[in-house]
């Protein structure tokens, strides 16, 4: 079972207390955007085998969104961080690159 730490309330929680929100760090398009850009935003997502940056909602806890860096093959969690962060913190990036030196994430 996947266990993540909520960066807001500091609890380690099972995935049953969370709601998955898909890929993290997507560029969102506003009014007047190109239809192709909006289509890509709505329908096309990364689904890698390996390291993935995801959004999670602590739905049965503090109710806040956060991001997690984890490996989809092994369920290894490299860390969690605030949803307001534009990219993973350097500490999390170093953990990922130590294990997966070829990773070319955000």
């Amino acid at each position: 079972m996947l266990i993540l730490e909520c960066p807001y309330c500091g609890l380690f929680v099972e995935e049953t207390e969370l709601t998955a929100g898909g890929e993290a760090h997507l560029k969102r398009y506003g009014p007047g955007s190109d239809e192709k850009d909006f289509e890509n935003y709505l329908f096309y997502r990364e689904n890698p085998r390996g390291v993935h940056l995801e959004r999670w909602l602590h739905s049965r806890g503090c109710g806040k969104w956060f991001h997690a860096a984890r490996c989809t093959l092994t369920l290894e969690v490299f860390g969690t961080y605030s949803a307001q962060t534009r990219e993973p913190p350097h500490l999390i990036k170093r953990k990922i690159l130590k294990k997966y030196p070829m990773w070319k994430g955000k």
Side-chain angles (χ1 to χ4, degrees), residues 84-102:
Q84 287 73 34
T85 307
R86 293 181 185 259
E87 63 181 47
H90 293 293
L91 179 63
I92 292 175
K93 284 183 179 179
R94 281 197 299 263
K95 284 182 185 177
I96 295 169
L97 289 170
K98 184 176 181 182
K99 187 149 188 182
Y100 299 98
M102 302 302 286

Side-chain angles (χ1 to χ4, degrees), residues 73-85:
L73 293 172
T74 64
L75 296 183
E76 178 181 5
V77 177
F78 297 100
T80 59
Y81 53 100
S82 165
Q84 287 73 34
T85 307

Side-chain angles (χ1 to χ4, degrees), residues 33-52:
S33 63
D34 181 283
E35 284 186 17
K36 189 68 176 168
D37 288 337
F38 193 63
E39 176 186 355
N40 288 337
Y41 166 71
L42 284 178
F43 300 111
Y44 297 101
R45 298 285 193 263
E46 292 289 320
N47 190 17
R49 286 184 65 171
V51 178
H52 192 43

